[in-house]
Amino acid sequence: IICIFAAQMGKPDTYIIDLKRILTGPVEFGYHLDDAFFTAVEAGEILGGQVDAKVRVEPHGGHHVLSFSMQGVVRLTCDRCLDEMDCPVDVQRALRTKFGPEFSDEGDDLVIVSETEGTIDIGWYLYEFIALGLPMQHRHEDGGCNEAMMRALEAHRVDDAGEEDEAD
């Protein structure tokens, strides 16, 4: 069974997967994460983007494995010049779920899902896996930074003796 659809962040149940209904598998879900998704998350680091995500859900006895595959581009702030920049995204992550008395995030790759509800909202995991896949430093390629900002930074650069360089 394959379920592929474009998700819109405005619908509260868009990212909810009913694991109790996935008894045989795998089942695949498709999402297009756009500026509205990243704005709705309100996490701040990612300003926007266009990312296609596939989530494959495979039941394995008493647990499920969710495999996330995401490709696209996100918009970030350059750490050097503070202009916006595009950063490619290519993320492969997995999350294991099992049923228990109540929801609990058990660490990097295990989530306990309430046996009563049997559902998991993967919206935050989509965002978090993308954010974790980004480089530590967000910088334009060499020569891509805002030239006026780079000149201003150079004017205030501190030399090895700890004194500011004089602006010409």
Side-chain angles (χ1 to χ4, degrees), residues 1 16-29 55-68 93-100 104 108-115 117-122 125 129:
I1 299 172
I16 296 176
I17 296 176
D18 188 347
L19 297 174
K20 283 186 164 183
R21 296 179 141 232
I22 303 175
L23 303 175
T24 61
V27 177
E28 191 170 283
F29 298 87
V55 181
R56 181 181 175 100
V57 181
E58 295 184 63
H60 292 279
H63 71 277
H64 291 79
V65 175
L66 285 70
S67 300
F68 293 76
R93 292 288 298 248
L95 184 67
R96 196 167 47 94
T97 66
K98 66 181 189 176
F99 294 113
S104 175
D108 289 343
D109 66 347
L110 176 63
V111 174
I112 306 298
V113 174
S114 165
E115 195 160 3
E117 292 179 23
T119 61
I120 184 170
D121 184 344
I122 62 164
Y125 296 104
F129 291 158

Side-chain angles (χ1 to χ4, degrees), residues 104-154:
S104 175
D105 198 339
E106 296 292 312
D108 289 343
D109 66 347
L110 176 63
V111 174
I112 306 298
V113 174
S114 165
E115 195 160 3
T116 307
E117 292 179 23
T119 61
I120 184 170
D121 184 344
I122 62 164
W124 177 252
Y125 296 104
L126 290 165
Y127 180 87
E128 186 174 73
F129 291 158
I130 291 170
L132 289 172
L134 296 174
M136 293 273 297
Q137 292 184 349
H138 309 148
R139 297 191 327 199
H140 286 102
E141 296 291 325
D142 288 341
C145 281
N146 178 312
E147 290 181 24
M149 178 62 82
M150 296 311 293
R151 283 191 301 274
L153 289 172
E154 184 63 26

